[in-house]
Amino acid sequence: AYAYGVRVEVFVAPAAPYVRGDAWQRIGHLSARWLAPETTVLGPLLWTPPADGPGNYSLRARVTTAEHRPPEAADPSTTSLVAQRNVWYGLGRPGESLTLSFPVAGALNRPGAILFEAQRGNLPAGAQLSDVRIQLDPAAADTRGIVDDALTGALTGALLAAGPARRGSLSLVLPADALPGAAYTFFVEQRQGTEVVGRLTAYVQVA
């Protein structure tokens, strides 16, 4: 069936495995009076990232039509009208160390401790990938719904209270014999309790 009154709103947020709803910033929209089934529409949508921004962004697109309008804060896992990609791009020379850093956010209404797992993807055996480290973010004035569990020291998503903002980071050391132009992909997965709540895809190219 044809879709009428199509509008696609595009949002960005600092790249992270999981992004809370209040972190998204609208950067523009695309619209069409109608679209036929299986039609693909490509932009243009122009946006200049701020010079003092994080450099890497998560992207979200929300589609509305005359017949369908998902909630403002709809989760991509619950509707086909919202799409999201959490991506990070890095460029490094052979033997160089790269640092991936991201804001830590707890998923609301998800119980349990927040855990991160770095997954190697197609990194070669000679690449050194560290575990994710969590630390306070002294530069952040806001909070991200995170508190410390007094008994375990674990991070938990909080509904009624919020602690200081935190950042997660890990390092990747490229192999000394990596060939210029080689491209690798690895992942940072976020769990809360037993549930996977988000994933960040990291793309690295050898300069």
mmCIF file of all heavy atoms in Angstrom, residues 118-170:
data_model
loop_
_atom_site.group_PDB
_atom_site.id
_atom_site.type_symbol
_atom_site.label_atom_id
_atom_site.label_comp_id
_atom_site.label_asym_id
_atom_site.label_seq_id
_atom_site.Cartn_x
_atom_site.Cartn_y
_atom_site.Cartn_z
ATOM 1 N N ALA A 118 33.575 -5.854 25.711
ATOM 2 C CA ALA A 118 34.230 -5.521 24.450
ATOM 3 C C ALA A 118 34.363 -6.794 23.621
ATOM 4 O O ALA A 118 34.930 -7.783 24.085
ATOM 5 C CB ALA A 118 35.605 -4.905 24.712
ATOM 6 N N GLN A 119 33.821 -6.769 22.415
ATOM 7 C CA GLN A 119 33.846 -7.934 21.525
ATOM 8 C C GLN A 119 34.751 -7.632 20.341
ATOM 9 O O GLN A 119 34.612 -6.589 19.697
ATOM 10 C CB GLN A 119 32.428 -8.264 21.065
ATOM 11 C CG GLN A 119 31.479 -8.545 22.228
ATOM 12 C CD GLN A 119 30.037 -8.689 21.785
ATOM 13 O OE1 GLN A 119 29.661 -8.285 20.690
ATOM 14 N NE2 GLN A 119 29.208 -9.256 22.660
ATOM 15 N N ARG A 120 35.667 -8.533 20.021
ATOM 16 C CA ARG A 120 36.746 -8.266 19.084
ATOM 17 C C ARG A 120 36.307 -8.161 17.620
ATOM 18 O O ARG A 120 37.033 -7.581 16.807
ATOM 19 C CB ARG A 120 37.830 -9.343 19.211
ATOM 20 C CG ARG A 120 38.545 -9.330 20.564
ATOM 21 C CD ARG A 120 39.670 -10.361 20.565
ATOM 22 N NE ARG A 120 40.679 -10.074 19.558
ATOM 23 C CZ ARG A 120 41.721 -9.274 19.744
ATOM 24 N NH1 ARG A 120 41.884 -8.660 20.915
ATOM 25 N NH2 ARG A 120 42.595 -9.074 18.768
ATOM 26 N N GLY A 121 35.176 -8.676 17.255
ATOM 27 C CA GLY A 121 34.764 -8.604 15.858
ATOM 28 C C GLY A 121 35.788 -9.240 14.946
ATOM 29 O O GLY A 121 36.193 -10.387 15.157
ATOM 30 N N ASN A 122 36.273 -8.494 13.955
ATOM 31 C CA ASN A 122 37.280 -9.049 13.041
ATOM 32 C C ASN A 122 38.680 -8.505 13.308
ATOM 33 O O ASN A 122 39.529 -8.491 12.405
ATOM 34 C CB ASN A 122 36.875 -8.773 11.586
ATOM 35 C CG ASN A 122 36.997 -7.304 11.204
ATOM 36 O OD1 ASN A 122 37.054 -6.435 12.071
ATOM 37 N ND2 ASN A 122 37.026 -7.018 9.904
ATOM 38 N N LEU A 123 38.922 -8.037 14.534
ATOM 39 C CA LEU A 123 40.276 -7.572 14.871
ATOM 40 C C LEU A 123 41.271 -8.711 14.705
ATOM 41 O O LEU A 123 40.996 -9.842 15.121
ATOM 42 C CB LEU A 123 40.327 -7.053 16.306
ATOM 43 C CG LEU A 123 39.611 -5.739 16.607
ATOM 44 C CD1 LEU A 123 39.667 -5.437 18.098
ATOM 45 C CD2 LEU A 123 40.220 -4.599 15.806
ATOM 46 N N PRO A 124 42.447 -8.451 14.141
ATOM 47 C CA PRO A 124 43.462 -9.504 14.003
ATOM 48 C C PRO A 124 44.046 -9.888 15.353
ATOM 49 O O PRO A 124 43.919 -9.152 16.338
ATOM 50 C CB PRO A 124 44.512 -8.857 13.100
ATOM 51 C CG PRO A 124 44.360 -7.393 13.337
ATOM 52 C CD PRO A 124 42.894 -7.167 13.574
ATOM 53 N N ALA A 125 44.695 -11.026 15.395
ATOM 54 C CA ALA A 125 45.234 -11.548 16.656
ATOM 55 C C ALA A 125 46.222 -10.575 17.292
ATOM 56 O O ALA A 125 46.338 -10.507 18.520
ATOM 57 C CB ALA A 125 45.900 -12.907 16.415
ATOM 58 N N GLY A 126 46.926 -9.800 16.484
ATOM 59 C CA GLY A 126 47.929 -8.888 17.028
ATOM 60 C C GLY A 126 47.370 -7.614 17.619
ATOM 61 O O GLY A 126 48.110 -6.839 18.238
ATOM 62 N N ALA A 127 46.080 -7.371 17.461
ATOM 63 C CA ALA A 127 45.468 -6.162 18.024
ATOM 64 C C ALA A 127 45.173 -6.372 19.499
ATOM 65 O O ALA A 127 44.692 -7.429 19.903
ATOM 66 C CB ALA A 127 44.186 -5.812 17.276
ATOM 67 N N GLN A 128 45.472 -5.377 20.320
ATOM 68 C CA GLN A 128 45.244 -5.455 21.767
ATOM 69 C C GLN A 128 44.036 -4.608 22.133
ATOM 70 O O GLN A 128 44.067 -3.383 21.987
ATOM 71 C CB GLN A 128 46.477 -4.968 22.527
ATOM 72 C CG GLN A 128 47.752 -5.731 22.191
ATOM 73 C CD GLN A 128 48.970 -5.107 22.843
ATOM 74 O OE1 GLN A 128 48.919 -4.655 23.991
ATOM 75 N NE2 GLN A 128 50.078 -5.060 22.121
ATOM 76 N N LEU A 129 42.971 -5.259 22.614
ATOM 77 C CA LEU A 129 41.737 -4.583 22.984
ATOM 78 C C LEU A 129 41.536 -4.723 24.485
ATOM 79 O O LEU A 129 41.490 -5.833 25.013
ATOM 80 C CB LEU A 129 40.547 -5.183 22.235
ATOM 81 C CG LEU A 129 39.188 -4.508 22.432
ATOM 82 C CD1 LEU A 129 39.206 -3.094 21.877
ATOM 83 C CD2 LEU A 129 38.085 -5.330 21.771
ATOM 84 N N SER A 130 41.423 -3.603 25.187
ATOM 85 C CA SER A 130 41.284 -3.635 26.645
ATOM 86 C C SER A 130 39.842 -3.869 27.041
ATOM 87 O O SER A 130 38.917 -3.807 26.221
ATOM 88 C CB SER A 130 41.768 -2.312 27.255
ATOM 89 O OG SER A 130 40.831 -1.273 27.010
ATOM 90 N N ASP A 131 39.626 -4.123 28.329
ATOM 91 C CA ASP A 131 38.276 -4.150 28.878
ATOM 92 C C ASP A 131 37.762 -2.715 29.004
ATOM 93 O O ASP A 131 38.529 -1.749 28.944
ATOM 94 C CB ASP A 131 38.272 -4.818 30.259
ATOM 95 C CG ASP A 131 38.597 -6.303 30.186
ATOM 96 O OD1 ASP A 131 38.292 -6.926 29.156
ATOM 97 O OD2 ASP A 131 39.168 -6.826 31.160
ATOM 98 N N VAL A 132 36.453 -2.585 29.198
ATOM 99 C CA VAL A 132 35.854 -1.264 29.375
ATOM 100 C C VAL A 132 36.092 -0.781 30.801
ATOM 101 O O VAL A 132 35.871 -1.509 31.762
ATOM 102 C CB VAL A 132 34.342 -1.305 29.082
ATOM 103 C CG1 VAL A 132 33.697 0.058 29.356
ATOM 104 C CG2 VAL A 132 34.095 -1.713 27.635
ATOM 105 N N ARG A 133 36.562 0.447 30.928
ATOM 106 C CA ARG A 133 36.773 1.074 32.226
ATOM 107 C C ARG A 133 35.705 2.136 32.440
ATOM 108 O O ARG A 133 35.359 2.878 31.509
ATOM 109 C CB ARG A 133 38.166 1.708 32.304
ATOM 110 C CG ARG A 133 39.300 0.713 32.118
ATOM 111 C CD ARG A 133 40.648 1.408 32.107
ATOM 112 N NE ARG A 133 40.774 2.301 30.965
ATOM 113 C CZ ARG A 133 41.204 1.918 29.758
ATOM 114 N NH1 ARG A 133 41.526 0.640 29.550
ATOM 115 N NH2 ARG A 133 41.297 2.778 28.767
ATOM 116 N N ILE A 134 35.199 2.247 33.664
ATOM 117 C CA ILE A 134 34.178 3.230 34.000
ATOM 118 C C ILE A 134 34.752 4.219 35.003
ATOM 119 O O ILE A 134 35.380 3.827 35.987
ATOM 120 C CB ILE A 134 32.930 2.558 34.610
ATOM 121 C CG1 ILE A 134 32.410 1.452 33.688
ATOM 122 C CG2 ILE A 134 31.843 3.601 34.872
ATOM 123 C CD1 ILE A 134 31.926 1.948 32.355
ATOM 124 N N GLN A 135 34.530 5.510 34.775
ATOM 125 C CA GLN A 135 34.990 6.517 35.720
ATOM 126 C C GLN A 135 34.024 7.692 35.720
ATOM 127 O O GLN A 135 33.218 7.877 34.793
ATOM 128 C CB GLN A 135 36.401 6.984 35.356
ATOM 129 C CG GLN A 135 36.523 7.571 33.962
ATOM 130 C CD GLN A 135 37.969 7.833 33.593
ATOM 131 O OE1 GLN A 135 38.416 7.518 32.504
ATOM 132 N NE2 GLN A 135 38.712 8.420 34.503
ATOM 133 N N LEU A 136 34.090 8.483 36.784
ATOM 134 C CA LEU A 136 33.254 9.673 36.872
ATOM 135 C C LEU A 136 33.618 10.645 35.762
ATOM 136 O O LEU A 136 34.765 10.707 35.320
ATOM 137 C CB LEU A 136 33.432 10.347 38.229
ATOM 138 C CG LEU A 136 32.950 9.576 39.456
ATOM 139 C CD1 LEU A 136 33.274 10.364 40.714
ATOM 140 C CD2 LEU A 136 31.460 9.311 39.369
ATOM 141 N N ASP A 137 32.644 11.403 35.315
ATOM 142 C CA ASP A 137 32.853 12.403 34.283
ATOM 143 C C ASP A 137 32.773 13.787 34.933
ATOM 144 O O ASP A 137 31.702 14.368 35.058
ATOM 145 C CB ASP A 137 31.790 12.258 33.195
ATOM 146 C CG ASP A 137 32.036 13.195 32.024
ATOM 147 O OD1 ASP A 137 33.005 13.981 32.097
ATOM 148 O OD2 ASP A 137 31.278 13.140 31.054
ATOM 149 N N PRO A 138 33.902 14.337 35.377
ATOM 150 C CA PRO A 138 33.862 15.616 36.107
ATOM 151 C C PRO A 138 33.399 16.778 35.243
ATOM 152 O O PRO A 138 32.986 17.808 35.764
ATOM 153 C CB PRO A 138 35.313 15.801 36.563
ATOM 154 C CG PRO A 138 36.126 15.022 35.575
ATOM 155 C CD PRO A 138 35.270 13.837 35.202
ATOM 156 N N ALA A 139 33.455 16.620 33.917
ATOM 157 C CA ALA A 139 33.079 17.723 33.040
ATOM 158 C C ALA A 139 31.573 17.799 32.817
ATOM 159 O O ALA A 139 31.076 18.780 32.278
ATOM 160 C CB ALA A 139 33.783 17.581 31.695
ATOM 161 N N ALA A 140 30.848 16.747 33.216
ATOM 162 C CA ALA A 140 29.411 16.700 32.948
ATOM 163 C C ALA A 140 28.639 17.298 34.111
ATOM 164 O O ALA A 140 28.841 16.944 35.264
ATOM 165 C CB ALA A 140 28.963 15.264 32.707
ATOM 166 N N ALA A 141 27.732 18.196 33.780
ATOM 167 C CA ALA A 141 26.911 18.822 34.817
ATOM 168 C C ALA A 141 25.617 18.063 35.048
ATOM 169 O O ALA A 141 24.979 18.209 36.083
ATOM 170 C CB ALA A 141 26.597 20.266 34.430
ATOM 171 N N ASP A 142 25.216 17.245 34.059
ATOM 172 C CA ASP A 142 23.946 16.533 34.184
ATOM 173 C C ASP A 142 24.174 15.135 34.754
ATOM 174 O O ASP A 142 25.293 14.748 35.055
ATOM 175 C CB ASP A 142 23.250 16.426 32.828
ATOM 176 C CG ASP A 142 24.071 15.626 31.821
ATOM 177 O OD1 ASP A 142 25.281 15.444 32.054
ATOM 178 O OD2 ASP A 142 23.498 15.191 30.813
ATOM 179 N N THR A 143 23.122 14.390 34.921
ATOM 180 C CA THR A 143 23.215 13.015 35.397
ATOM 181 C C THR A 143 22.584 12.100 34.378
ATOM 182 O O THR A 143 21.852 12.521 33.497
ATOM 183 C CB THR A 143 22.493 12.844 36.744
ATOM 184 O OG1 THR A 143 21.114 13.199 36.568
ATOM 185 C CG2 THR A 143 23.116 13.718 37.810
ATOM 186 N N ARG A 144 22.882 10.821 34.482
ATOM 187 C CA ARG A 144 22.435 9.864 33.483
ATOM 188 C C ARG A 144 21.669 8.702 34.091
ATOM 189 O O ARG A 144 21.633 7.619 33.544
ATOM 190 C CB ARG A 144 23.639 9.331 32.696
ATOM 191 C CG ARG A 144 24.310 10.392 31.847
ATOM 192 C CD ARG A 144 23.407 10.843 30.717
ATOM 193 N NE ARG A 144 24.000 11.928 29.959
ATOM 194 C CZ ARG A 144 23.376 12.578 29.005
ATOM 195 N NH1 ARG A 144 22.135 12.286 28.711
ATOM 196 N NH2 ARG A 144 23.978 13.543 28.358
ATOM 197 N N GLY A 145 21.058 8.910 35.233
ATOM 198 C CA GLY A 145 20.271 7.830 35.805
ATOM 199 C C GLY A 145 21.125 6.676 36.275
ATOM 200 O O GLY A 145 20.763 5.515 36.125
ATOM 201 N N ILE A 146 22.289 6.957 36.855
ATOM 202 C CA ILE A 146 23.214 5.919 37.302
ATOM 203 C C ILE A 146 23.487 6.115 38.786
ATOM 204 O O ILE A 146 23.737 7.219 39.241
ATOM 205 C CB ILE A 146 24.560 5.993 36.548
ATOM 206 C CG1 ILE A 146 24.344 5.859 35.040
ATOM 207 C CG2 ILE A 146 25.517 4.942 37.037
ATOM 208 C CD1 ILE A 146 23.836 4.525 34.616
ATOM 209 N N VAL A 147 23.440 5.050 39.551
ATOM 210 C CA VAL A 147 23.854 5.101 40.950
ATOM 211 C C VAL A 147 24.754 3.907 41.236
ATOM 212 O O VAL A 147 24.772 2.928 40.514
ATOM 213 C CB VAL A 147 22.647 5.063 41.914
ATOM 214 C CG1 VAL A 147 21.777 6.280 41.723
ATOM 215 C CG2 VAL A 147 21.823 3.799 41.703
ATOM 216 N N ASP A 148 25.521 4.016 42.301
ATOM 217 C CA ASP A 148 26.351 2.900 42.751
ATOM 218 C C ASP A 148 25.570 2.047 43.732
ATOM 219 O O ASP A 148 24.897 2.563 44.618
ATOM 220 C CB ASP A 148 27.615 3.416 43.449
ATOM 221 C CG ASP A 148 28.612 3.988 42.476
ATOM 222 O OD1 ASP A 148 28.832 3.336 41.447
ATOM 223 O OD2 ASP A 148 29.155 5.071 42.743
ATOM 224 N N ASP A 149 25.678 0.738 43.580
ATOM 225 C CA ASP A 149 25.114 -0.181 44.555
ATOM 226 C C ASP A 149 26.060 -0.206 45.752
ATOM 227 O O ASP A 149 27.231 -0.551 45.636
ATOM 228 C CB ASP A 149 24.983 -1.579 43.943
ATOM 229 C CG ASP A 149 24.287 -2.546 44.872
ATOM 230 O OD1 ASP A 149 24.792 -2.759 45.991
ATOM 231 O OD2 ASP A 149 23.258 -3.110 44.484
ATOM 232 N N ALA A 150 25.581 0.174 46.904
ATOM 233 C CA ALA A 150 26.451 0.311 48.081
ATOM 234 C C ALA A 150 27.070 -1.015 48.492
ATOM 235 O O ALA A 150 28.141 -1.049 49.091
ATOM 236 C CB ALA A 150 25.649 0.890 49.244
ATOM 237 N N LEU A 151 26.414 -2.132 48.178
ATOM 238 C CA LEU A 151 26.917 -3.428 48.618
ATOM 239 C C LEU A 151 27.905 -4.029 47.629
ATOM 240 O O LEU A 151 28.912 -4.608 48.021
ATOM 241 C CB LEU A 151 25.746 -4.404 48.828
ATOM 242 C CG LEU A 151 24.757 -4.024 49.938
ATOM 243 C CD1 LEU A 151 23.640 -5.049 50.000
ATOM 244 C CD2 LEU A 151 25.466 -3.924 51.277
ATOM 245 N N THR A 152 27.625 -3.872 46.325
ATOM 246 C CA THR A 152 28.465 -4.551 45.334
ATOM 247 C C THR A 152 29.407 -3.616 44.603
ATOM 248 O O THR A 152 30.357 -4.069 43.962
ATOM 249 C CB THR A 152 27.588 -5.266 44.299
ATOM 250 O OG1 THR A 152 26.876 -4.261 43.544
ATOM 251 C CG2 THR A 152 26.591 -6.194 44.960
ATOM 252 N N GLY A 153 29.158 -2.307 44.665
ATOM 253 C CA GLY A 153 29.967 -1.370 43.910
ATOM 254 C C GLY A 153 29.613 -1.345 42.437
ATOM 255 O O GLY A 153 30.258 -0.671 41.649
ATOM 256 N N ALA A 154 28.569 -2.082 42.050
ATOM 257 C CA ALA A 154 28.174 -2.133 40.644
ATOM 258 C C ALA A 154 27.357 -0.911 40.272
ATOM 259 O O ALA A 154 26.735 -0.274 41.120
ATOM 260 C CB ALA A 154 27.355 -3.400 40.378
ATOM 261 N N LEU A 155 27.369 -0.577 38.984
ATOM 262 C CA LEU A 155 26.514 0.484 38.487
ATOM 263 C C LEU A 155 25.131 -0.081 38.220
ATOM 264 O O LEU A 155 24.991 -1.162 37.658
ATOM 265 C CB LEU A 155 27.072 1.062 37.180
ATOM 266 C CG LEU A 155 28.417 1.775 37.263
ATOM 267 C CD1 LEU A 155 28.859 2.192 35.873
ATOM 268 C CD2 LEU A 155 28.330 2.980 38.168
ATOM 269 N N THR A 156 24.107 0.654 38.608
ATOM 270 C CA THR A 156 22.743 0.217 38.347
ATOM 271 C C THR A 156 21.935 1.358 37.760
ATOM 272 O O THR A 156 22.180 2.517 38.058
ATOM 273 C CB THR A 156 22.045 -0.280 39.631
ATOM 274 O OG1 THR A 156 22.029 0.795 40.584
ATOM 275 C CG2 THR A 156 22.771 -1.456 40.233
ATOM 276 N N GLY A 157 20.969 1.024 36.928
ATOM 277 C CA GLY A 157 20.068 2.035 36.396
ATOM 278 C C GLY A 157 19.084 2.431 37.479
ATOM 279 O O GLY A 157 18.474 1.585 38.119
ATOM 280 N N ALA A 158 18.919 3.719 37.716
ATOM 281 C CA ALA A 158 18.087 4.175 38.826
ATOM 282 C C ALA A 158 16.837 4.870 38.311
ATOM 283 O O ALA A 158 16.893 5.632 37.357
ATOM 284 C CB ALA A 158 18.869 5.136 39.710
ATOM 285 N N LEU A 159 15.725 4.610 38.925
ATOM 286 C CA LEU A 159 14.470 5.255 38.563
ATOM 287 C C LEU A 159 14.212 6.494 39.407
ATOM 288 O O LEU A 159 13.687 7.483 38.925
ATOM 289 C CB LEU A 159 13.310 4.270 38.744
ATOM 290 C CG LEU A 159 13.352 3.015 37.866
ATOM 291 C CD1 LEU A 159 12.142 2.143 38.169
ATOM 292 C CD2 LEU A 159 13.355 3.404 36.403
ATOM 293 N N LEU A 160 14.566 6.444 40.672
ATOM 294 C CA LEU A 160 14.202 7.508 41.595
ATOM 295 C C LEU A 160 15.364 8.401 41.971
ATOM 296 O O LEU A 160 15.177 9.450 42.572
ATOM 297 C CB LEU A 160 13.592 6.904 42.866
ATOM 298 C CG LEU A 160 12.350 6.036 42.640
ATOM 299 C CD1 LEU A 160 11.872 5.455 43.952
ATOM 300 C CD2 LEU A 160 11.240 6.844 41.991
ATOM 301 N N ALA A 161 16.578 7.990 41.665
ATOM 302 C CA ALA A 161 17.747 8.788 42.034
ATOM 303 C C ALA A 161 18.781 8.689 40.928
ATOM 304 O O ALA A 161 18.772 7.767 40.127
ATOM 305 C CB ALA A 161 18.337 8.288 43.363
ATOM 306 N N ALA A 162 19.653 9.657 40.872
ATOM 307 C CA ALA A 162 20.700 9.655 39.864
ATOM 308 C C ALA A 162 21.993 10.125 40.488
ATOM 309 O O ALA A 162 22.014 11.048 41.280
ATOM 310 C CB ALA A 162 20.323 10.566 38.694
ATOM 311 N N GLY A 163 23.070 9.474 40.117
ATOM 312 C CA GLY A 163 24.376 9.846 40.632
ATOM 313 C C GLY A 163 25.139 10.664 39.604
ATOM 314 O O GLY A 163 24.602 11.039 38.567
ATOM 315 N N PRO A 164 26.409 10.966 39.876
ATOM 316 C CA PRO A 164 27.216 11.734 38.935
ATOM 317 C C PRO A 164 27.327 11.018 37.593
ATOM 318 O O PRO A 164 27.322 9.797 37.533
ATOM 319 C CB PRO A 164 28.582 11.818 39.633
ATOM 320 C CG PRO A 164 28.297 11.554 41.073
ATOM 321 C CD PRO A 164 27.137 10.607 41.090
ATOM 322 N N ALA A 165 27.419 11.802 36.509
ATOM 323 C CA ALA A 165 27.583 11.213 35.183
ATOM 324 C C ALA A 165 28.902 10.462 35.100
ATOM 325 O O ALA A 165 29.892 10.829 35.732
ATOM 326 C CB ALA A 165 27.519 12.317 34.123
ATOM 327 N N ARG A 166 28.926 9.417 34.309
ATOM 328 C CA ARG A 166 30.113 8.583 34.153
ATOM 329 C C ARG A 166 30.414 8.369 32.683
ATOM 330 O O ARG A 166 29.537 8.501 31.834
ATOM 331 C CB ARG A 166 29.918 7.238 34.866
ATOM 332 C CG ARG A 166 29.927 7.358 36.380
ATOM 333 C CD ARG A 166 29.479 6.046 37.010
ATOM 334 N NE ARG A 166 29.706 6.042 38.437
ATOM 335 C CZ ARG A 166 28.920 6.624 39.324
ATOM 336 N NH1 ARG A 166 27.838 7.267 38.914
ATOM 337 N NH2 ARG A 166 29.202 6.574 40.609
ATOM 338 N N ARG A 167 31.670 8.023 32.410
ATOM 339 C CA ARG A 167 32.088 7.700 31.059
ATOM 340 C C ARG A 167 32.729 6.325 31.059
ATOM 341 O O ARG A 167 33.367 5.916 32.030
ATOM 342 C CB ARG A 167 33.073 8.728 30.506
ATOM 343 C CG ARG A 167 32.486 10.112 30.307
ATOM 344 C CD ARG A 167 33.378 10.980 29.468
ATOM 345 N NE ARG A 167 33.491 10.497 28.091
ATOM 346 C CZ ARG A 167 32.584 10.762 27.140
ATOM 347 N NH1 ARG A 167 31.501 11.475 27.417
ATOM 348 N NH2 ARG A 167 32.762 10.319 25.921
ATOM 349 N N GLY A 168 32.505 5.624 29.958
ATOM 350 C CA GLY A 168 33.192 4.357 29.740
ATOM 351 C C GLY A 168 34.272 4.559 28.689
ATOM 352 O O GLY A 168 34.136 5.409 27.800
ATOM 353 N N SER A 169 35.338 3.807 28.788
ATOM 354 C CA SER A 169 36.398 3.929 27.791
ATOM 355 C C SER A 169 37.139 2.607 27.673
ATOM 356 O O SER A 169 37.155 1.786 28.594
ATOM 357 C CB SER A 169 37.382 5.047 28.152
ATOM 358 O OG SER A 169 38.066 4.734 29.363
ATOM 359 N N LEU A 170 37.742 2.405 26.521
ATOM 360 C CA LEU A 170 38.630 1.259 26.302
ATOM 361 C C LEU A 170 39.680 1.683 25.298
ATOM 362 O O LEU A 170 39.534 2.693 24.599
ATOM 363 C CB LEU A 170 37.863 0.024 25.837
ATOM 364 C CG LEU A 170 37.000 0.100 24.578
ATOM 365 C CD1 LEU A 170 37.825 0.058 23.301
ATOM 366 C CD2 LEU A 170 36.005 -1.045 24.565
#
